[in-house]
Amino acid sequence: MQVNPVRNTTFGHHHQAGGSDYSAAQKAIVATTTALGVAASSAILAKKAGYSLNPTKMFKNIKNSYLAKVEFHDKEVISLGAGSCLGGLAGGYIIDKDPTNRRSKNREAVMQIGNISIPIITVEQFAKLGAKYGKIQKGLAAVAGIFIGVYFANFVMNKFSNFVFQNKNDERDVKATDFSAHVDDMVVAASCISDNKYVQGIARIIPVALTIPGFEVGTKKSGSD
């Protein structure tokens, strides 16, 4: 989702990256550090869940590895999203020493983490409320949580950015295309509706999907949309 709370600020986990004029080699560095950030977060989550981090054991029984078995909820999505954004930010600092661009990357990291965190929290909380009334109600509530979370994230992050960064009332309304970015939220909502193995299998794309915001953070420049 994108929200431009201040001019030249992108908010959301899609868009922007293709608009920067960094070289392919520079973008490759950001992609690498972003992937490392997601991998580090995955390793921490796996270790806390009692999974071995021994590569031999992991690849020998990959079907029973952490990423193959974990159910993605708010804790997992937020942790992976934060790892992605911090990894992307590290890569952005490596490729660009300009203080103005670094400030834009810092701002983008905060916006992206907020955009990842707020909607997934609303999805989870709405699902818990809906679960009291049945499986179908749980799923419908989770879907409602996506829409409410996106709008709420838009409101909160607009105000936050205006207050912290520039104190300008330059806000952006939610667009229909913003919802296309929330693959992680949609997958979690779908898993609330169905325990089908194919639905659960689709959830394995979440770590990959969450590399996008980190890449956007690292390739953000002052003046880019």
Side-chain angles (χ1 to χ4, degrees):
M1 170 185 172
Q2 295 172 280
V3 177
N4 293 323
V6 294
R7 287 183 175 85
N8 304 328
T9 299
T10 302
F11 173 56
H13 41 300
H14 81 305
H15 188 63
Q16 186 264 305
S20 71
D21 57 358
Y22 289 116
S23 68
Q26 289 173 318
K27 289 180 180 179
I29 290 172
V30 173
T32 300
T33 59
T34 299
L36 289 173
V38 172
S41 295
S42 299
I44 293 170
L45 289 169
K47 189 67 175 179
K48 287 186 175 181
Y51 285 81
S52 172
L53 298 183
N54 185 316
T56 303
K57 292 182 179 179
M58 290 169 59
F59 289 106
K60 185 177 181 180
N61 193 16
I62 198 165
K63 289 184 178 180
N64 291 312
S65 64
Y66 174 75
L67 290 179
K69 290 292 185 180
V70 64
E71 292 185 7
F72 291 99
H73 293 288
D74 46 5
K75 179 184 74 174
E76 289 77 20
V77 170
I78 293 170
S79 297
L80 292 172
S84 170
C85 292
L86 293 175
L89 185 62
Y93 268 52
I94 290 172
I95 67 171
D96 195 335
K97 304 296 191 287
D98 183 272
T100 303
N101 287 338
R102 284 186 168 185
R103 175 177 168 79
S104 294
K105 296 178 197 298
N106 293 339
R107 186 169 58 219
E108 182 75 2
V110 172
M111 298 300 102
Q112 293 284 5
I113 291 172
N115 181 52
I116 292 167
S117 302
I118 294 173
I120 195 63
I121 289 172
T122 60
V123 167
E124 291 282 351
Q125 294 306 312
F126 274 59
K128 288 178 181 178
L129 291 173
K132 297 178 181 179
Y133 304 99
K135 184 75 174 178
I136 293 176
Q137 290 84 348
K138 178 183 179 182
L140 292 175
V143 173
I146 296 175
F147 290 89
I148 292 173
V150 168
Y151 280 96
F152 185 59
N154 179 24
F155 173 80
V156 171
M157 299 311 291
N158 268 320
K159 300 302 181 185
F160 178 82
S161 182
N162 287 339
F163 177 75
V164 173
F165 295 112
Q166 293 184 6
N167 289 324
K168 290 183 180 180
N169 293 317
D170 185 9
E171 300 186 358
R172 175 191 179 280
D173 293 330
V174 174
K175 297 180 180 180
T177 52
D178 291 336
F179 294 96
S180 65
H182 290 271
V183 175
D184 46 359
D185 306 328
M186 293 175 187
V187 170
V188 171
S191 67
C192 291
I193 299 171
S194 174
D195 293 325
N196 184 283
K197 65 179 182 179
Y198 296 109
V199 172
Q200 299 302 317
I202 291 172
R204 302 311 115 193
I205 71 171
I206 287 177
V208 177
L210 287 173
T211 62
I212 297 173
F215 185 78
E216 292 181 357
V217 169
T219 56
K220 181 70 178 178
K221 276 190 171 183
S222 177
S224 64
D225 286 325

